[in-house]
Amino acid sequence: MNRKTAVWLLIPAFLGVLVFTFFPLIQIAIPTFQSKSGFFSLYTQFLKSSFNWAVIGRSFLIAIVTVIVVLILGVPISIWIGRQKTVVRQILNLLILFPMLTNAVVRNFAWIIILGHDGIVNKTLLALHLIKSPLNILYTNTSIIIGSVYLFLPIMINSLIGSVAELNVEIEEAAAVLGSSPWRTLFKVIIPQLTTGILTGCILVFAGTMTAYTTPEILGGNRHLVMATLIYQQAMTLGNWQNASVISLILIVISALSMWLMRKLSQHLDRRPINA
């Protein structure tokens, strides 16, 4: 295929992205600068509010904690799956991705049953006499994090399995021969080779958690707003589409900057020394 043919084939895709991605963003952005108080007045008003900063901070906290928990759970699971035989690995991959075929709303309502006052968690803890009264887990930041971890753990595992399958086992054997303990081998030999996959998974999980709406809305309630649920509240409940557009653009900028920083970190950590 020559260059000219390739360009002509890319034009429909480029126009599709332009029309269905950038045009809606422009339509959202234009009203945010049409204020009588000034060009950036809506943004300054939003950022002056301590409530809005609390929502931004809560969104960041939930996203960061989710990334950490998913990473802690995803690395050992992906290493174990990556070391299995090809057929077993394919079956395990299918089992991990199978919950993603179910609608997120259904899965989150299942967590309401699990985490509620009369849910499985509280009933089990009460039966074991570990608590005297039911815990308030539902409609808290903790419940949002639990739902987010469940939602994005398969994505992290799927991002790491390919990297694990390409690991050089001989390097681990050499480390063991030289007296390295299993934990030292894990942190000094295995994880450094998974840096690219780990950071890719972290970017996907962080961006997904920051922009998620269903999980915070169902498991967090109105008392624990994040930026996505705040957008819905401003647009659908209060009918203030200007403020909703402002929050949307701020969320896009925050997510884009965070992903750009993680990508830069990934490029920095993935540098390979060049032997002369």
Side-chain angles (χ1 to χ4, degrees), residues 110-248:
W111 278 110
I112 292 179
I113 299 172
I114 296 171
L115 300 177
H117 270 218
D118 296 325
I120 297 172
V121 173
N122 277 316
K123 284 185 177 179
T124 303
L125 294 176
L126 288 170
L128 296 174
H129 302 289
L130 296 176
I131 57 175
K132 295 182 179 179
S133 60
L135 298 175
N136 293 321
I137 305 175
L138 194 60
Y139 305 125
T140 63
N141 292 340
T142 302
S143 62
I144 299 175
I145 292 170
I146 292 172
S148 299
V149 169
Y150 172 74
L151 191 65
F152 293 107
L153 181 59
I155 295 176
M156 177 64 78
I157 294 174
N158 195 47
S159 299
L160 290 173
I161 287 178
S163 300
V164 172
E166 297 177 358
L167 287 177
N168 191 346
V169 181
E170 294 180 354
I171 298 178
E172 299 173 43
E173 294 174 350
V177 169
L178 293 173
S180 177
S181 65
W183 285 106
R184 179 179 288 271
T185 302
L186 175 64
F187 288 103
K188 296 292 185 179
V189 178
I190 298 176
I191 290 182
Q193 297 182 73
L194 300 177
T195 301
T196 303
I198 287 173
L199 287 173
T200 300
C202 288
I203 290 172
L204 294 174
V205 173
F206 181 86
T209 308
M210 277 291 294
T211 57
Y213 166 76
T214 305
T215 300
E217 175 67 18
I218 295 176
L219 299 180
N222 294 327
R223 295 176 58 187
H224 295 81
L225 294 175
V226 296
M227 296 194 72
T229 53
L230 183 61
I231 292 170
Y232 180 86
Q233 184 190 75
Q234 290 291 323
M236 305 305 295
T237 304
L238 302 178
N240 193 334
W241 288 91
Q242 271 193 326
N243 278 351
S245 299
V246 169
I247 302 167
S248 300

Side-chain angles (χ1 to χ4, degrees), residues 4-106:
K4 187 176 181 180
T5 304
V7 170
W8 278 106
L9 290 174
L10 287 173
I11 288 178
F14 175 77
L15 291 176
V17 171
L18 186 65
V19 172
F20 295 107
T21 302
F22 291 104
F23 183 71
L25 288 178
I26 294 172
Q27 290 292 100
I28 292 174
I30 289 175
T32 64
F33 300 108
Q34 295 176 343
S35 176
K36 296 178 181 180
S37 303
F39 196 66
F40 290 103
S41 61
L42 292 176
Y43 292 93
T44 55
Q45 289 174 11
F46 176 83
L47 295 175
K48 283 180 181 178
S49 172
S50 59
F51 174 80
N52 293 332
W53 278 108
V55 173
I56 294 174
R58 185 181 298 113
S59 302
F60 258 111
L61 177 64
I62 291 172
I64 291 172
V65 173
T66 300
V67 168
I68 293 172
V69 175
V70 165
L71 188 60
I72 293 173
L73 295 175
V75 169
I77 294 174
S78 60
I79 291 175
W80 179 73
I81 293 176
R83 299 293 171 83
Q84 304 301 314
K85 295 180 180 179
T86 304
V87 176
V88 177
R89 186 167 65 245
Q90 291 175 349
I91 294 173
L92 292 173
N93 279 336
L94 182 62
L95 291 176
I96 288 172
L97 296 176
F98 182 76
M100 299 182 69
L101 300 177
T102 307
N103 189 279
V105 175
V106 177

